[in-house]
Amino acid sequence: MNSVLKPKANDIHAMAGRPVSLSQEDAGWEYISFRLWNLRAGQIIREGTGGEEVGLVILSGRASVSSEKRDWGPIGARKSVFDGPPYVVYLPPGTDFSVTAESECQIARAGAVASRGPDAYLITPAEIKEDPRGEGNARRCIRHVLEADRPAEHLFLVEVITPSGNWSSYPPHKHDTEDYPRETYLEEVYYHRIRPPQGFGFQRVYSPDRGTDSTILIEDGSLVAVPFGYHPTVIAPGYELYYLNVMAGPIREWRFTDDPDHTWVSAGWAA
């Protein structure tokens, strides 16, 4: 079933500890894990990717990242997730690495179970394409962070900025069935941030037969796991919504189907 993990009210700005964490076992699925690190300047994380490929997304602040073969840093230019595309370090399975905070920083560790993966590499903000998607009050901005045009075994990473009062992941779509080339099975998490942070929005997760139908309150720092079904979001007027999408599945292609009740909404949109 879908789940939402929320940090304690004061954790998201405390810049210490790990306010949200999701393992494959927590979610009851095969591929995705997610951790969030809020680090003080000088704090060091030492870890290994194990049986996962990992994308380290610098959400805010600056950090240095090093593995046994490479050293990147200091990297990071954003004061917040709303300030343009991120720096991202891709690490393959079986890689020991360390992260050193050069300032207060927030880093997402997005993992997907993998067996090989390409060599480690850095993605810079200048390399990340940004595109508008949707029209009217379903318009939003897509940041193509780690998609099929970049090497990885299973992992996808996308950032989305949704303006005040707008809908996103809309019309509702799903990718929970292995029916290639029509649809591919992809697990997915949404890590939400809201500006100003007291705002709120909603995410609906529902199955085609409506046997499961949940409406989830999203707040600044909410993490929503979407193992199946349609999953649109909306942000309250006066607030901007950011989310980091982490997706992974057996075939690394994003093939989805829209809810047929709502496909008409986008029929007149530009490609």
Side-chain angles (χ1 to χ4, degrees), residues 170-203:
Y170 195 86
H173 67 274
K174 73 179 187 72
H175 38 74
D176 59 9
T177 302
E178 201 57 64
D179 185 20
Y180 190 84
R182 184 186 69 91
E183 186 176 335
T184 50
Y185 170 79
L186 292 170
E187 301 163 355
E188 185 170 24
V189 298
Y190 280 64
Y191 173 62
H192 294 283
R193 297 300 304 271
I194 295 174
R195 184 168 70 175
Q198 71 270 27
F200 66 94
F202 296 97
Q203 184 157 20

PDB file of all heavy atoms in Angstrom, residues 170-203:
ATOM      1  N   TYR A 170      -0.059  15.132 -13.663  1.00  0.00           N
ATOM      2  CA  TYR A 170      -1.442  15.251 -14.130  1.00  0.00           C
ATOM      3  C   TYR A 170      -1.458  15.438 -15.634  1.00  0.00           C
ATOM      4  O   TYR A 170      -0.620  16.166 -16.159  1.00  0.00           O
ATOM      5  CB  TYR A 170      -2.118  16.447 -13.439  1.00  0.00           C
ATOM      6  CG  TYR A 170      -3.612  16.453 -13.570  1.00  0.00           C
ATOM      7  CD1 TYR A 170      -4.407  15.743 -12.674  1.00  0.00           C
ATOM      8  CD2 TYR A 170      -4.233  17.133 -14.615  1.00  0.00           C
ATOM      9  CE1 TYR A 170      -5.781  15.721 -12.808  1.00  0.00           C
ATOM     10  CE2 TYR A 170      -5.605  17.113 -14.757  1.00  0.00           C
ATOM     11  CZ  TYR A 170      -6.381  16.403 -13.848  1.00  0.00           C
ATOM     12  OH  TYR A 170      -7.740  16.367 -13.987  1.00  0.00           O
ATOM     13  N   PRO A 171      -2.384  14.812 -16.367  1.00  0.00           N
ATOM     14  CA  PRO A 171      -3.447  13.923 -15.901  1.00  0.00           C
ATOM     15  C   PRO A 171      -2.879  12.716 -15.136  1.00  0.00           C
ATOM     16  O   PRO A 171      -1.736  12.337 -15.358  1.00  0.00           O
ATOM     17  CB  PRO A 171      -4.134  13.468 -17.196  1.00  0.00           C
ATOM     18  CG  PRO A 171      -3.787  14.496 -18.210  1.00  0.00           C
ATOM     19  CD  PRO A 171      -2.431  14.983 -17.835  1.00  0.00           C
ATOM     20  N   PRO A 172      -3.677  12.114 -14.253  1.00  0.00           N
ATOM     21  CA  PRO A 172      -3.182  10.989 -13.468  1.00  0.00           C
ATOM     22  C   PRO A 172      -2.679   9.871 -14.371  1.00  0.00           C
ATOM     23  O   PRO A 172      -3.305   9.520 -15.369  1.00  0.00           O
ATOM     24  CB  PRO A 172      -4.420  10.544 -12.676  1.00  0.00           C
ATOM     25  CG  PRO A 172      -5.304  11.748 -12.636  1.00  0.00           C
ATOM     26  CD  PRO A 172      -5.084  12.450 -13.937  1.00  0.00           C
ATOM     27  N   HIS A 173      -1.513   9.334 -14.019  1.00  0.00           N
ATOM     28  CA  HIS A 173      -0.921   8.253 -14.806  1.00  0.00           C
ATOM     29  C   HIS A 173      -0.416   7.169 -13.860  1.00  0.00           C
ATOM     30  O   HIS A 173      -0.267   7.396 -12.653  1.00  0.00           O
ATOM     31  CB  HIS A 173       0.229   8.778 -15.661  1.00  0.00           C
ATOM     32  CG  HIS A 173       1.401   9.245 -14.852  1.00  0.00           C
ATOM     33  ND1 HIS A 173       1.491  10.512 -14.334  1.00  0.00           N
ATOM     34  CD2 HIS A 173       2.522   8.593 -14.448  1.00  0.00           C
ATOM     35  CE1 HIS A 173       2.607  10.631 -13.651  1.00  0.00           C
ATOM     36  NE2 HIS A 173       3.262   9.475 -13.697  1.00  0.00           N
ATOM     37  N   LYS A 174      -0.144   6.006 -14.416  1.00  0.00           N
ATOM     38  CA  LYS A 174       0.401   4.903 -13.615  1.00  0.00           C
ATOM     39  C   LYS A 174       1.452   4.170 -14.432  1.00  0.00           C
ATOM     40  O   LYS A 174       1.479   4.210 -15.666  1.00  0.00           O
ATOM     41  CB  LYS A 174      -0.701   3.944 -13.157  1.00  0.00           C
ATOM     42  CG  LYS A 174      -1.284   3.052 -14.242  1.00  0.00           C
ATOM     43  CD  LYS A 174      -2.364   2.124 -13.667  1.00  0.00           C
ATOM     44  CE  LYS A 174      -2.839   1.092 -14.694  1.00  0.00           C
ATOM     45  NZ  LYS A 174      -1.833   0.042 -14.955  1.00  0.00           N
ATOM     46  N   HIS A 175       2.329   3.465 -13.686  1.00  0.00           N
ATOM     47  CA  HIS A 175       3.359   2.621 -14.310  1.00  0.00           C
ATOM     48  C   HIS A 175       3.626   1.447 -13.358  1.00  0.00           C
ATOM     49  O   HIS A 175       4.724   1.293 -12.839  1.00  0.00           O
ATOM     50  CB  HIS A 175       4.636   3.425 -14.595  1.00  0.00           C
ATOM     51  CG  HIS A 175       4.985   4.434 -13.539  1.00  0.00           C
ATOM     52  ND1 HIS A 175       5.504   4.086 -12.316  1.00  0.00           N
ATOM     53  CD2 HIS A 175       4.854   5.771 -13.528  1.00  0.00           C
ATOM     54  CE1 HIS A 175       5.702   5.167 -11.602  1.00  0.00           C
ATOM     55  NE2 HIS A 175       5.308   6.217 -12.302  1.00  0.00           N
ATOM     56  N   ASP A 176       2.583   0.677 -13.124  1.00  0.00           N
ATOM     57  CA  ASP A 176       2.661  -0.424 -12.159  1.00  0.00           C
ATOM     58  C   ASP A 176       2.513  -1.802 -12.792  1.00  0.00           C
ATOM     59  O   ASP A 176       2.407  -2.803 -12.099  1.00  0.00           O
ATOM     60  CB  ASP A 176       1.598  -0.251 -11.067  1.00  0.00           C
ATOM     61  CG  ASP A 176       0.175  -0.211 -11.620  1.00  0.00           C
ATOM     62  OD1 ASP A 176      -0.025  -0.486 -12.818  1.00  0.00           O
ATOM     63  OD2 ASP A 176      -0.743   0.119 -10.840  1.00  0.00           O
ATOM     64  N   THR A 177       2.506  -1.864 -14.128  1.00  0.00           N
ATOM     65  CA  THR A 177       2.271  -3.120 -14.839  1.00  0.00           C
ATOM     66  C   THR A 177       3.367  -3.329 -15.872  1.00  0.00           C
ATOM     67  O   THR A 177       3.682  -2.408 -16.636  1.00  0.00           O
ATOM     68  CB  THR A 177       0.901  -3.090 -15.544  1.00  0.00           C
ATOM     69  OG1 THR A 177      -0.122  -2.859 -14.572  1.00  0.00           O
ATOM     70  CG2 THR A 177       0.633  -4.401 -16.263  1.00  0.00           C
ATOM     71  N   GLU A 178       3.929  -4.522 -15.899  1.00  0.00           N
ATOM     72  CA  GLU A 178       4.925  -4.836 -16.916  1.00  0.00           C
ATOM     73  C   GLU A 178       4.203  -5.289 -18.174  1.00  0.00           C
ATOM     74  O   GLU A 178       3.795  -6.444 -18.293  1.00  0.00           O
ATOM     75  CB  GLU A 178       5.886  -5.925 -16.415  1.00  0.00           C
ATOM     76  CG  GLU A 178       7.208  -5.968 -17.165  1.00  0.00           C
ATOM     77  CD  GLU A 178       7.942  -4.629 -17.115  1.00  0.00           C
ATOM     78  OE1 GLU A 178       8.329  -4.184 -16.033  1.00  0.00           O
ATOM     79  OE2 GLU A 178       8.110  -4.033 -18.204  1.00  0.00           O
ATOM     80  N   ASP A 179       3.972  -4.350 -19.068  1.00  0.00           N
ATOM     81  CA  ASP A 179       3.242  -4.585 -20.311  1.00  0.00           C
ATOM     82  C   ASP A 179       3.944  -3.819 -21.424  1.00  0.00           C
ATOM     83  O   ASP A 179       3.362  -2.967 -22.075  1.00  0.00           O
ATOM     84  CB  ASP A 179       1.779  -4.154 -20.157  1.00  0.00           C
ATOM     85  CG  ASP A 179       0.928  -4.490 -21.375  1.00  0.00           C
ATOM     86  OD1 ASP A 179       1.336  -5.368 -22.165  1.00  0.00           O
ATOM     87  OD2 ASP A 179      -0.129  -3.859 -21.539  1.00  0.00           O
ATOM     88  N   TYR A 180       5.234  -4.123 -21.611  1.00  0.00           N
ATOM     89  CA  TYR A 180       6.058  -3.400 -22.561  1.00  0.00           C
ATOM     90  C   TYR A 180       5.596  -3.673 -23.991  1.00  0.00           C
ATOM     91  O   TYR A 180       5.242  -4.794 -24.315  1.00  0.00           O
ATOM     92  CB  TYR A 180       7.515  -3.842 -22.391  1.00  0.00           C
ATOM     93  CG  TYR A 180       8.497  -2.999 -23.160  1.00  0.00           C
ATOM     94  CD1 TYR A 180       8.979  -1.818 -22.633  1.00  0.00           C
ATOM     95  CD2 TYR A 180       8.922  -3.395 -24.426  1.00  0.00           C
ATOM     96  CE1 TYR A 180       9.879  -1.040 -23.338  1.00  0.00           C
ATOM     97  CE2 TYR A 180       9.816  -2.618 -25.139  1.00  0.00           C
ATOM     98  CZ  TYR A 180      10.295  -1.444 -24.593  1.00  0.00           C
ATOM     99  OH  TYR A 180      11.180  -0.668 -25.296  1.00  0.00           O
ATOM    100  N   PRO A 181       5.530  -2.668 -24.862  1.00  0.00           N
ATOM    101  CA  PRO A 181       6.005  -1.295 -24.693  1.00  0.00           C
ATOM    102  C   PRO A 181       4.938  -0.316 -24.200  1.00  0.00           C
ATOM    103  O   PRO A 181       5.210   0.872 -24.109  1.00  0.00           O
ATOM    104  CB  PRO A 181       6.449  -0.928 -26.104  1.00  0.00           C
ATOM    105  CG  PRO A 181       5.491  -1.663 -26.976  1.00  0.00           C
ATOM    106  CD  PRO A 181       5.207  -2.971 -26.266  1.00  0.00           C
ATOM    107  N   ARG A 182       3.734  -0.808 -23.900  1.00  0.00           N
ATOM    108  CA  ARG A 182       2.666   0.106 -23.469  1.00  0.00           C
ATOM    109  C   ARG A 182       2.975   0.712 -22.104  1.00  0.00           C
ATOM    110  O   ARG A 182       2.784   1.905 -21.880  1.00  0.00           O
ATOM    111  CB  ARG A 182       1.331  -0.640 -23.427  1.00  0.00           C
ATOM    112  CG  ARG A 182       0.123   0.232 -23.090  1.00  0.00           C
ATOM    113  CD  ARG A 182      -1.128  -0.616 -22.923  1.00  0.00           C
ATOM    114  NE  ARG A 182      -1.055  -1.442 -21.732  1.00  0.00           N
ATOM    115  CZ  ARG A 182      -1.495  -1.062 -20.532  1.00  0.00           C
ATOM    116  NH1 ARG A 182      -2.049   0.127 -20.370  1.00  0.00           N
ATOM    117  NH2 ARG A 182      -1.394  -1.867 -19.487  1.00  0.00           N
ATOM    118  N   GLU A 183       3.443  -0.109 -21.166  1.00  0.00           N
ATOM    119  CA  GLU A 183       3.666   0.342 -19.798  1.00  0.00           C
ATOM    120  C   GLU A 183       4.796  -0.472 -19.195  1.00  0.00           C
ATOM    121  O   GLU A 183       4.942  -1.663 -19.481  1.00  0.00           O
ATOM    122  CB  GLU A 183       2.375   0.170 -18.980  1.00  0.00           C
ATOM    123  CG  GLU A 183       2.429   0.726 -17.575  1.00  0.00           C
ATOM    124  CD  GLU A 183       1.086   0.619 -16.842  1.00  0.00           C
ATOM    125  OE1 GLU A 183       0.038   0.570 -17.532  1.00  0.00           O
ATOM    126  OE2 GLU A 183       1.086   0.582 -15.597  1.00  0.00           O
ATOM    127  N   THR A 184       5.606   0.171 -18.358  1.00  0.00           N
ATOM    128  CA  THR A 184       6.661  -0.519 -17.624  1.00  0.00           C
ATOM    129  C   THR A 184       6.415  -0.395 -16.130  1.00  0.00           C
ATOM    130  O   THR A 184       5.881   0.612 -15.659  1.00  0.00           O
ATOM    131  CB  THR A 184       8.052   0.058 -17.952  1.00  0.00           C
ATOM    132  OG1 THR A 184       8.030   1.483 -17.811  1.00  0.00           O
ATOM    133  CG2 THR A 184       8.474  -0.318 -19.359  1.00  0.00           C
ATOM    134  N   TYR A 185       6.825  -1.423 -15.387  1.00  0.00           N
ATOM    135  CA  TYR A 185       6.692  -1.405 -13.932  1.00  0.00           C
ATOM    136  C   TYR A 185       7.815  -0.571 -13.336  1.00  0.00           C
ATOM    137  O   TYR A 185       9.006  -0.875 -13.508  1.00  0.00           O
ATOM    138  CB  TYR A 185       6.755  -2.823 -13.372  1.00  0.00           C
ATOM    139  CG  TYR A 185       6.855  -2.865 -11.861  1.00  0.00           C
ATOM    140  CD1 TYR A 185       5.725  -2.680 -11.071  1.00  0.00           C
ATOM    141  CD2 TYR A 185       8.090  -3.069 -11.238  1.00  0.00           C
ATOM    142  CE1 TYR A 185       5.823  -2.695  -9.684  1.00  0.00           C
ATOM    143  CE2 TYR A 185       8.190  -3.086  -9.856  1.00  0.00           C
ATOM    144  CZ  TYR A 185       7.055  -2.893  -9.082  1.00  0.00           C
ATOM    145  OH  TYR A 185       7.153  -2.899  -7.717  1.00  0.00           O
ATOM    146  N   LEU A 186       7.452   0.498 -12.631  1.00  0.00           N
ATOM    147  CA  LEU A 186       8.415   1.359 -11.960  1.00  0.00           C
ATOM    148  C   LEU A 186       7.897   1.715 -10.571  1.00  0.00           C
ATOM    149  O   LEU A 186       6.830   2.313 -10.439  1.00  0.00           O
ATOM    150  CB  LEU A 186       8.645   2.646 -12.753  1.00  0.00           C
ATOM    151  CG  LEU A 186       9.360   2.534 -14.105  1.00  0.00           C
ATOM    152  CD1 LEU A 186       9.275   3.852 -14.861  1.00  0.00           C
ATOM    153  CD2 LEU A 186      10.808   2.132 -13.918  1.00  0.00           C
ATOM    154  N   GLU A 187       8.646   1.323  -9.541  1.00  0.00           N
ATOM    155  CA  GLU A 187       8.371   1.826  -8.204  1.00  0.00           C
ATOM    156  C   GLU A 187       8.745   3.308  -8.157  1.00  0.00           C
ATOM    157  O   GLU A 187       9.576   3.777  -8.936  1.00  0.00           O
ATOM    158  CB  GLU A 187       9.210   1.054  -7.178  1.00  0.00           C
ATOM    159  CG  GLU A 187       8.944  -0.433  -7.193  1.00  0.00           C
ATOM    160  CD  GLU A 187      10.032  -1.246  -6.502  1.00  0.00           C
ATOM    161  OE1 GLU A 187      11.053  -0.660  -6.081  1.00  0.00           O
ATOM    162  OE2 GLU A 187       9.864  -2.472  -6.412  1.00  0.00           O
ATOM    163  N   GLU A 188       8.140   4.042  -7.217  1.00  0.00           N
ATOM    164  CA  GLU A 188       8.387   5.485  -7.205  1.00  0.00           C
ATOM    165  C   GLU A 188       8.207   6.066  -5.806  1.00  0.00           C
ATOM    166  O   GLU A 188       7.315   5.658  -5.064  1.00  0.00           O
ATOM    167  CB  GLU A 188       7.429   6.194  -8.173  1.00  0.00           C
ATOM    168  CG  GLU A 188       7.674   7.680  -8.329  1.00  0.00           C
ATOM    169  CD  GLU A 188       6.858   8.286  -9.461  1.00  0.00           C
ATOM    170  OE1 GLU A 188       5.801   7.712  -9.819  1.00  0.00           O
ATOM    171  OE2 GLU A 188       7.283   9.321  -9.992  1.00  0.00           O
ATOM    172  N   VAL A 189       9.082   7.000  -5.456  1.00  0.00           N
ATOM    173  CA  VAL A 189       8.865   7.811  -4.260  1.00  0.00           C
ATOM    174  C   VAL A 189       8.868   9.281  -4.649  1.00  0.00           C
ATOM    175  O   VAL A 189       9.506   9.686  -5.630  1.00  0.00           O
ATOM    176  CB  VAL A 189       9.907   7.557  -3.144  1.00  0.00           C
ATOM    177  CG1 VAL A 189       9.850   6.128  -2.660  1.00  0.00           C
ATOM    178  CG2 VAL A 189      11.297   7.945  -3.586  1.00  0.00           C
ATOM    179  N   TYR A 190       8.120  10.067  -3.872  1.00  0.00           N
ATOM    180  CA  TYR A 190       8.078  11.516  -3.999  1.00  0.00           C
ATOM    181  C   TYR A 190       8.612  12.105  -2.702  1.00  0.00           C
ATOM    182  O   TYR A 190       8.054  11.854  -1.633  1.00  0.00           O
ATOM    183  CB  TYR A 190       6.647  12.008  -4.169  1.00  0.00           C
ATOM    184  CG  TYR A 190       6.030  11.895  -5.536  1.00  0.00           C
ATOM    185  CD1 TYR A 190       5.818  10.654  -6.135  1.00  0.00           C
ATOM    186  CD2 TYR A 190       5.616  13.031  -6.225  1.00  0.00           C
ATOM    187  CE1 TYR A 190       5.225  10.544  -7.384  1.00  0.00           C
ATOM    188  CE2 TYR A 190       5.022  12.946  -7.476  1.00  0.00           C
ATOM    189  CZ  TYR A 190       4.831  11.706  -8.043  1.00  0.00           C
ATOM    190  OH  TYR A 190       4.240  11.607  -9.278  1.00  0.00           O
ATOM    191  N   TYR A 191       9.681  12.901  -2.793  1.00  0.00           N
ATOM    192  CA  TYR A 191      10.136  13.669  -1.636  1.00  0.00           C
ATOM    193  C   TYR A 191       9.719  15.118  -1.860  1.00  0.00           C
ATOM    194  O   TYR A 191      10.172  15.775  -2.798  1.00  0.00           O
ATOM    195  CB  TYR A 191      11.649  13.572  -1.456  1.00  0.00           C
ATOM    196  CG  TYR A 191      12.155  14.495  -0.369  1.00  0.00           C
ATOM    197  CD1 TYR A 191      11.725  14.332   0.946  1.00  0.00           C
ATOM    198  CD2 TYR A 191      13.015  15.553  -0.652  1.00  0.00           C
ATOM    199  CE1 TYR A 191      12.154  15.193   1.950  1.00  0.00           C
ATOM    200  CE2 TYR A 191      13.450  16.417   0.341  1.00  0.00           C
ATOM    201  CZ  TYR A 191      13.011  16.229   1.637  1.00  0.00           C
ATOM    202  OH  TYR A 191      13.426  17.087   2.633  1.00  0.00           O
ATOM    203  N   HIS A 192       8.826  15.616  -0.999  1.00  0.00           N
ATOM    204  CA  HIS A 192       8.183  16.915  -1.196  1.00  0.00           C
ATOM    205  C   HIS A 192       8.813  18.006  -0.334  1.00  0.00           C
ATOM    206  O   HIS A 192       9.087  17.787   0.849  1.00  0.00           O
ATOM    207  CB  HIS A 192       6.701  16.831  -0.812  1.00  0.00           C
ATOM    208  CG  HIS A 192       5.870  15.958  -1.685  1.00  0.00           C
ATOM    209  ND1 HIS A 192       5.438  16.345  -2.928  1.00  0.00           N
ATOM    210  CD2 HIS A 192       5.369  14.703  -1.484  1.00  0.00           C
ATOM    211  CE1 HIS A 192       4.699  15.381  -3.468  1.00  0.00           C
ATOM    212  NE2 HIS A 192       4.653  14.380  -2.614  1.00  0.00           N
ATOM    213  N   ARG A 193       9.013  19.187  -0.948  1.00  0.00           N
ATOM    214  CA  ARG A 193       9.334  20.393  -0.193  1.00  0.00           C
ATOM    215  C   ARG A 193       8.373  21.498  -0.633  1.00  0.00           C
ATOM    216  O   ARG A 193       7.947  21.531  -1.797  1.00  0.00           O
ATOM    217  CB  ARG A 193      10.771  20.845  -0.441  1.00  0.00           C
ATOM    218  CG  ARG A 193      11.837  19.862   0.015  1.00  0.00           C
ATOM    219  CD  ARG A 193      11.772  19.569   1.515  1.00  0.00           C
ATOM    220  NE  ARG A 193      11.867  20.761   2.336  1.00  0.00           N
ATOM    221  CZ  ARG A 193      13.011  21.277   2.777  1.00  0.00           C
ATOM    222  NH1 ARG A 193      14.155  20.692   2.467  1.00  0.00           N
ATOM    223  NH2 ARG A 193      13.014  22.352   3.545  1.00  0.00           N
ATOM    224  N   ILE A 194       8.060  22.399   0.275  1.00  0.00           N
ATOM    225  CA  ILE A 194       7.068  23.450   0.016  1.00  0.00           C
ATOM    226  C   ILE A 194       7.647  24.794   0.412  1.00  0.00           C
ATOM    227  O   ILE A 194       8.321  24.925   1.444  1.00  0.00           O
ATOM    228  CB  ILE A 194       5.767  23.164   0.792  1.00  0.00           C
ATOM    229  CG1 ILE A 194       5.120  21.864   0.266  1.00  0.00           C
ATOM    230  CG2 ILE A 194       4.782  24.334   0.662  1.00  0.00           C
ATOM    231  CD1 ILE A 194       3.913  21.403   1.044  1.00  0.00           C
ATOM    232  N   ARG A 195       7.401  25.814  -0.409  1.00  0.00           N
ATOM    233  CA  ARG A 195       7.842  27.191  -0.129  1.00  0.00           C
ATOM    234  C   ARG A 195       6.659  28.129  -0.182  1.00  0.00           C
ATOM    235  O   ARG A 195       5.981  28.157  -1.216  1.00  0.00           O
ATOM    236  CB  ARG A 195       8.904  27.624  -1.145  1.00  0.00           C
ATOM    237  CG  ARG A 195       9.482  29.002  -0.858  1.00  0.00           C
ATOM    238  CD  ARG A 195      10.716  29.302  -1.676  1.00  0.00           C
ATOM    239  NE  ARG A 195      10.399  29.485  -3.096  1.00  0.00           N
ATOM    240  CZ  ARG A 195      11.292  29.860  -4.023  1.00  0.00           C
ATOM    241  NH1 ARG A 195      12.557  30.054  -3.658  1.00  0.00           N
ATOM    242  NH2 ARG A 195      10.933  30.006  -5.280  1.00  0.00           N
ATOM    243  N   PRO A 196       6.406  28.920   0.905  1.00  0.00           N
ATOM    244  CA  PRO A 196       6.975  28.858   2.242  1.00  0.00           C
ATOM    245  C   PRO A 196       6.632  27.518   2.930  1.00  0.00           C
ATOM    246  O   PRO A 196       5.654  26.861   2.568  1.00  0.00           O
ATOM    247  CB  PRO A 196       6.310  30.035   2.972  1.00  0.00           C
ATOM    248  CG  PRO A 196       5.801  30.933   1.898  1.00  0.00           C
ATOM    249  CD  PRO A 196       5.434  30.040   0.772  1.00  0.00           C
ATOM    250  N   PRO A 197       7.413  27.129   3.931  1.00  0.00           N
ATOM    251  CA  PRO A 197       7.322  25.761   4.449  1.00  0.00           C
ATOM    252  C   PRO A 197       6.055  25.436   5.234  1.00  0.00           C
ATOM    253  O   PRO A 197       5.800  24.258   5.497  1.00  0.00           O
ATOM    254  CB  PRO A 197       8.562  25.640   5.353  1.00  0.00           C
ATOM    255  CG  PRO A 197       8.894  27.046   5.725  1.00  0.00           C
ATOM    256  CD  PRO A 197       8.538  27.873   4.539  1.00  0.00           C
ATOM    257  N   GLN A 198       5.256  26.438   5.611  1.00  0.00           N
ATOM    258  CA  GLN A 198       4.020  26.136   6.347  1.00  0.00           C
ATOM    259  C   GLN A 198       2.890  25.702   5.426  1.00  0.00           C
ATOM    260  O   GLN A 198       1.789  25.378   5.883  1.00  0.00           O
ATOM    261  CB  GLN A 198       3.573  27.347   7.186  1.00  0.00           C
ATOM    262  CG  GLN A 198       3.035  28.524   6.367  1.00  0.00           C
ATOM    263  CD  GLN A 198       4.110  29.510   5.966  1.00  0.00           C
ATOM    264  OE1 GLN A 198       5.281  29.149   5.845  1.00  0.00           O
ATOM    265  NE2 GLN A 198       3.727  30.770   5.777  1.00  0.00           N
ATOM    266  N   GLY A 199       3.145  25.666   4.105  1.00  0.00           N
ATOM    267  CA  GLY A 199       2.108  25.304   3.147  1.00  0.00           C
ATOM    268  C   GLY A 199       1.759  23.830   3.182  1.00  0.00           C
ATOM    269  O   GLY A 199       2.331  23.030   3.933  1.00  0.00           O
ATOM    270  N   PHE A 200       0.831  23.452   2.320  1.00  0.00           N
ATOM    271  CA  PHE A 200       0.399  22.054   2.256  1.00  0.00           C
ATOM    272  C   PHE A 200      -0.153  21.767   0.864  1.00  0.00           C
ATOM    273  O   PHE A 200      -0.463  22.668   0.085  1.00  0.00           O
ATOM    274  CB  PHE A 200      -0.662  21.756   3.318  1.00  0.00           C
ATOM    275  CG  PHE A 200      -1.967  22.489   3.096  1.00  0.00           C
ATOM    276  CD1 PHE A 200      -3.022  21.896   2.407  1.00  0.00           C
ATOM    277  CD2 PHE A 200      -2.137  23.794   3.564  1.00  0.00           C
ATOM    278  CE1 PHE A 200      -4.205  22.576   2.181  1.00  0.00           C
ATOM    279  CE2 PHE A 200      -3.318  24.485   3.341  1.00  0.00           C
ATOM    280  CZ  PHE A 200      -4.365  23.875   2.648  1.00  0.00           C
ATOM    281  N   GLY A 201      -0.262  20.505   0.582  1.00  0.00           N
ATOM    282  CA  GLY A 201      -0.878  20.041  -0.654  1.00  0.00           C
ATOM    283  C   GLY A 201      -1.457  18.662  -0.419  1.00  0.00           C
ATOM    284  O   GLY A 201      -1.510  18.175   0.728  1.00  0.00           O
ATOM    285  N   PHE A 202      -1.871  18.019  -1.503  1.00  0.00           N
ATOM    286  CA  PHE A 202      -2.446  16.682  -1.394  1.00  0.00           C
ATOM    287  C   PHE A 202      -1.939  15.813  -2.538  1.00  0.00           C
ATOM    288  O   PHE A 202      -1.673  16.301  -3.636  1.00  0.00           O
ATOM    289  CB  PHE A 202      -3.978  16.736  -1.441  1.00  0.00           C
ATOM    290  CG  PHE A 202      -4.589  17.468  -0.282  1.00  0.00           C
ATOM    291  CD1 PHE A 202      -4.952  18.808  -0.398  1.00  0.00           C
ATOM    292  CD2 PHE A 202      -4.788  16.828   0.928  1.00  0.00           C
ATOM    293  CE1 PHE A 202      -5.502  19.496   0.666  1.00  0.00           C
ATOM    294  CE2 PHE A 202      -5.341  17.499   2.013  1.00  0.00           C
ATOM    295  CZ  PHE A 202      -5.702  18.841   1.879  1.00  0.00           C
ATOM    296  N   GLN A 203      -1.799  14.536  -2.244  1.00  0.00           N
ATOM    297  CA  GLN A 203      -1.477  13.549  -3.274  1.00  0.00           C
ATOM    298  C   GLN A 203      -2.476  12.407  -3.169  1.00  0.00           C
ATOM    299  O   GLN A 203      -2.675  11.842  -2.085  1.00  0.00           O
ATOM    300  CB  GLN A 203      -0.048  13.024  -3.111  1.00  0.00           C
ATOM    301  CG  GLN A 203       0.370  12.064  -4.217  1.00  0.00           C
ATOM    302  CD  GLN A 203       1.879  11.986  -4.390  1.00  0.00           C
ATOM    303  OE1 GLN A 203       2.642  12.331  -3.499  1.00  0.00           O
ATOM    304  NE2 GLN A 203       2.317  11.527  -5.556  1.00  0.00           N
TER     305      GLN A 203
END
